[in-house]
DNA sequence: ACCTGAACACCGTTCAAGT
DNA sequence: ACCTGAACACCGTTCAAGT
């Protein structure tokens, strides 16, 4: 056994991380905005003022929660393209499927990721940086696909916006139950349909 | 002068509508979730329990706020296509521009529209019906465009999802400041770019 | 350094009571 | 019928105080 090091602290080895994990766990079960800082503290077995030693306020904790969500998303996207190294089209499709599946598997967490007030950019710099990392995966697919002659020319950054907007919009409408998955069979079929539309375009080929 | 009819009531001619308008006004100024039912009542010059005579709870008031937002959106979309009756492409483009301009003109209101828990569908039936009405405008453009030979074949309902997802996603990313309008000149240019991508597709024409 | 308890100013919601 | 006031159980945040 190593030593008593961590256990000798007041209540936790790492209260900060325990609060983050607890918040994510609470979000997974309950609805997003019904989560309270006091309940996170309660679940961690600590007084309701203890979190303020580690986070400036509730929003700061949620920013870290968002950050971890974006890290997981980026990882899911990278994983999906690693399994589809052959072809840019299938990479894009796989990436879209992975994106949507991640989001609907963690709907409340996804809402937190995009529900933070990004007005003052000096706060939440980290979570913004990580979200751009996830976005960068899409951008890479586009630019590599252009090199391979699969995608039309254009600034990859801007073309990636189109893909991201489509996927993000689909996810939000699904989470909000404005679109029902059932109407399209399942989410994989839905994303494939979306991707096909995006690749081939809506206009009649002339 | 008509009579004393309305003024003779307790405090308002129509407290219900005054609360709705007050909520919309508050939302326009402050952030979405910082709005309290008590403050809406305060601004209407009424006790903080009075709203419960007209709305079951806070969510019920917000549902009506959302409903009015969707009505305004549907109207903006209809207006935009009325001005572009010539051609399906320009109708779709104008509709997209109108959609995005409406949303970024009323960002908090837009958030309320899509931020309501649509889990139990028996509540908020009205707001859901009106949102489908706005969606129907898109669907009509698609199906009329197909008849005119402008859009490729497919179920209009599903093709409209693609358009809606793209626009909704773009709007949400803009509101969240994940995408900055400035990077693309202005929002009109941004939407035109999106629409072009959607119509022509991302794949290289072969 | 890290945590607690009391305190403050707010919430949403309920309910008996007033006109 | 429509509104009020007190009351309840919650918040987020601050601050002096404890170990």
């Amino acid at each position: 056994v190593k030593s008593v090091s961590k256990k000798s602290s007041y209540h936790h080895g790492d209260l900060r991380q325990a609060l983050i994990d607890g918040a994510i766990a609470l979000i997974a079960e309950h609805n997003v905005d019904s989560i309270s800082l006091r309940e996170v503290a309660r679940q961690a077995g600590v007084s309701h003022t203890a979190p303020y030693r580690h986070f400036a306020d509730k929003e700061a904790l949620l920013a870290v929660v968002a950050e971890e969500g974006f890290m997981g998303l980026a990882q899911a996207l990278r994983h999906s393209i690693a399994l589809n190294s052959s072809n840019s089209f299938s990479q894009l499709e796989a990436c879209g499927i992975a994106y949507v599946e991640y989001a609907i598997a963690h709907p409340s967490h996804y809402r937190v990721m995009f529900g933070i007030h990004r007005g003052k950019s000096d706060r939440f710099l980290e979570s913004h940086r990580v979200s751009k990392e996830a976005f960068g995966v899409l951008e890479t697919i586009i630019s590599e696909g252009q090199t391979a002659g699969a995608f039309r020319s254009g600034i990859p950054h801007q073309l990636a916006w189109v893909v991201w907007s489509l996927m993000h919009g689909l996810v939000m409408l699904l989470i909000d139950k404005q679109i029902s998955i059932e109407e399209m069979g399942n989410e994989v079929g839905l994303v494939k349909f979306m991707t096909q539309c995006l690749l081939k375009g809506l206009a009649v080929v002339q």
Side-chain angles (χ1 to χ4, degrees), chain A:
Chain A
V1 197
K2 253 188 170 181
S3 80
V4 291
S5 58
K6 293 214 161 178
K7 210 182 160 227
S8 65
S9 105
Y10 276 62
H11 272 88
H12 283 88
D14 190 352
L15 178 56
R16 189 189 134 90
Q17 191 60 44
L19 291 169
I20 296 168
D21 295 342
I24 291 175
L26 277 174
I27 284 167
E29 291 163 15
H30 304 68
N31 248 327
V32 197
D33 41 42
S34 70
I35 183 187
S36 75
L37 198 50
R38 285 170 106 111
E39 183 157 2
V40 175
R42 223 175 283 137
Q43 175 156 306
V46 107
S47 85
H48 62 271
T49 59
Y52 288 90
R53 285 296 126 194
H54 300 279
F55 302 98
D57 51 24
K58 185 185 180 181
E59 214 177 14
L61 170 58
L62 288 180
V64 178
V65 169
E67 193 184 320
E68 298 217 344
F70 278 117
M71 285 179 59
L73 178 59
Q75 201 171 340
L77 299 187
R78 276 191 295 260
H79 182 69
S80 76
I81 62 176
L83 296 177
N84 286 272
S85 51
S86 53
N87 155 353
S88 292
F89 291 151
S90 64
Q91 277 191 346
L92 186 64
E93 190 179 76
C95 211
I97 293 169
Y99 190 104
V100 173
E101 285 189 334
Y102 183 88
I104 67 180
H106 318 283
S108 296
H109 202 157
Y110 191 86
R111 272 225 178 80
V112 173
M113 291 184 229
F114 290 93
I116 289 180
H117 308 320
R118 243 167 224 81
K120 349 232 156 202
S121 50
D122 52 338
R123 298 194 75 178
F124 318 136
L125 273 183
E126 264 313 286
S127 84
H128 196 249
R129 192 187 58 72
V130 183
S131 79
K132 283 197 291 189
E133 196 181 313
F135 175 70
V137 177
L138 287 178
E139 196 175 332
T140 301
I141 294 179
I142 298 287
S143 77
E144 288 184 359
Q146 285 177 324
T147 306
F151 300 133
R152 71 166 66 243
S153 63
I155 300 171
H157 196 68
Q158 296 179 350
L159 294 175
W161 278 350
V162 181
V163 179
W164 197 20
S165 292
L166 182 63
M167 292 306 156
H168 182 55
L170 172 60
V171 160
M172 294 300 272
L173 293 175
L174 284 173
I175 289 178
D176 272 347
K177 312 243 197 247
Q178 295 272 6
I179 291 181
S180 70
I181 291 180
E182 291 74 25
E183 232 171 313
M184 200 67 201
N186 56 53
E187 75 271 12
V188 173
L190 187 50
V191 177
K192 284 187 177 176
F193 174 72
M194 293 266 167
T195 312
Q196 281 302 310
C197 284
L198 186 58
L199 286 173
K200 299 199 298 182
L202 292 187
V204 164
V205 188
Q206 43 196 345

